[in-house]
Amino acid sequence: MEQLPEEPCQQDDFPHRIPRIHIILFLATVLTTLTAGAMQQGVIPWEAPWQLYKGLPFSLTLLLILLCHEMGHYLMARYHQLDVSLPYFLPAPPIPFLIGTLGAFIRIRSPILHKPALMDIGASGPLSGIVITLPLLIFGLQLSDIKIASEVAMDVDGIILGEPLLFKFICWLTLGSLPDNHHIIMHPMAFAGWIGLFVTNLNLLPIGQLDGGHVSYALFGEHSEQIAKIFFIFLIVCGLAAWYGWLLWAVIVYFMGFRHPTPLQYWIPLDHKRRNIGILTIAVFILTFMPAPFQVQW
């Protein structure tokens, strides 16, 4: 995720060293995701802090995915000679935030001049994140356990994760076709990979200044505002019918706004290559969407 411009670009403002705030936030996020990963493995941090190392597979996998996503934005913004910050990682307490982070973002402090640059910057993060997520997810699934449910009690207690089309395909590719009474108990790396798919999808919602909003405006121009409003209604419907969390996201995107800022050189069109990138990004959004990402079953 990235935030859009505040002031004109000054090449001398590009960092020659890593500011302290980025280091502090990153180290704090390492700690919170490490703790979250350990708690997922049954560790009680305040009773056995020496067992926090059990959270390393989850923490390192998730941080690598987030870093690749944000560096995709960062490097493309630098390619277009914009004044951009290094990624800010956002730590979060493992309780109630199951994964120990609220993600990461960069700040772009200069205007994005035209649609080609907007497409490059908006699409580069999600596509970079997916490129690193898929092999990590495959490797994590290979390390996962498959449990056969009792023929009498088919239900499994706990949190049931949604399965977007891309996740189903990767599971089939990695584990083959599993009977209905077989359940995947995901390895921490696989869970982090699933989170990577979910985070990618959230960022690709075609609303406002989310990554998907940038791609939508680059492709459809002023029509992107109507698309954003349609998806706002879609989130409300999904929230009422499938997962209440979408209602929270509907509130967030409402206050973010539906209208995307107009680039200074708005008349410069996308070339054929960038249109194809936009179509690919939309396909990634469709393949990673799930109406009910989380379901609690007891």
Side-chain angles (χ1 to χ4, degrees):
M1 185 184 299
E2 79 278 0
Q3 294 184 345
L4 278 186
E6 296 180 351
E7 58 190 38
C9 175
Q10 296 180 7
Q11 190 75 14
D12 291 341
D13 287 342
F14 290 154
H16 300 289
R17 61 182 180 85
I18 300 178
R20 185 177 302 173
I21 183 63
H22 295 275
I23 297 174
I24 293 173
L25 287 175
F26 177 75
L27 292 178
T29 307
V30 170
L31 179 60
T32 54
T33 55
L34 185 67
T35 304
M39 292 177 68
Q40 293 165 22
Q41 299 304 302
V43 175
I44 302 177
W46 50 90
E47 293 183 359
W50 57 87
Q51 292 187 341
L52 286 179
Y53 72 90
K54 292 184 178 180
L56 281 173
F58 173 79
S59 175
L60 295 180
T61 303
L62 181 58
L63 290 174
L64 179 59
I65 292 171
L66 294 177
L67 179 63
C68 287
H69 182 118
E70 296 307 323
M71 289 307 294
H73 289 313
Y74 175 83
L75 294 175
M76 194 55 66
R78 290 294 301 268
Y79 172 78
H80 285 283
Q81 299 183 332
L82 301 179
D83 182 8
V84 58
S85 74
L86 290 168
Y88 292 89
F89 283 80
L90 300 177
I95 300 175
F97 299 98
L98 181 64
I99 63 174
T101 179
L102 296 176
F105 69 94
I106 63 171
R107 293 180 61 200
I108 297 178
R109 296 182 285 257
S110 52
I112 299 178
L113 295 180
H114 43 64
K115 292 178 181 178
L118 190 62
M119 175 62 75
D120 288 348
I121 296 168
S124 58
L127 295 183
S128 298
I130 279 292
V131 166
I132 192 63
T133 295
L134 293 183
L136 292 173
L137 177 59
I138 290 173
F139 186 66
L141 286 172
Q142 291 174 335
L143 298 175
S144 300
D145 294 327
I146 299 176
K147 302 291 185 181
I148 301 177
S150 167
E151 293 182 0
V152 177
M154 295 293 293
D155 293 336
V156 176
D157 293 343
I159 297 177
I160 306 299
L161 300 179
E163 297 184 357
L165 293 175
L166 184 56
F167 181 80
K168 289 183 177 181
F169 174 73
I170 295 299
C171 284
W172 173 82
L173 189 67
T174 307
L175 304 174
S177 181
L178 298 176
D180 291 339
N181 65 335
H182 286 55
H183 299 276
I184 303 172
I185 310 301
M186 288 201 292
H187 185 273
M189 286 187 65
F191 180 48
W194 183 92
I195 293 294
L197 297 181
F198 183 49
V199 168
T200 296
N201 186 261
L202 291 179
N203 278 281
L204 283 178
L205 288 170
I207 300 175
Q209 295 193 42
L210 294 172
D211 297 341
H214 301 333
V215 171
S216 179
Y217 186 90
L219 282 173
F220 307 113
E222 295 300 325
H223 295 295
S224 64
E225 183 176 355
Q226 284 70 44
I227 294 173
K229 292 177 180 179
I230 291 172
F231 268 87
F232 171 70
I233 296 173
F234 177 68
L235 289 182
I236 293 177
V237 172
C238 287
L240 295 175
W243 180 53
Y244 291 138
W246 289 124
L247 297 178
L248 174 61
W249 269 94
V251 172
I252 292 173
V253 298
Y254 175 81
F255 285 105
M256 289 177 61
F258 303 125
R259 185 176 181 82
H260 191 284
T262 303
L264 297 179
Q265 299 173 352
Y266 61 87
W267 58 87
I268 298 179
L270 292 180
D271 54 75
H272 183 70
K273 177 182 177 182
R274 287 185 171 89
R275 285 192 175 276
N276 287 339
I277 290 174
I279 293 171
L280 174 62
T281 307
I282 292 174
V284 169
F285 171 72
I286 295 172
L287 292 174
T288 56
F289 180 78
M290 41 193 149
F294 302 96
Q295 291 181 324
V296 179
Q297 186 167 300
W298 303 105

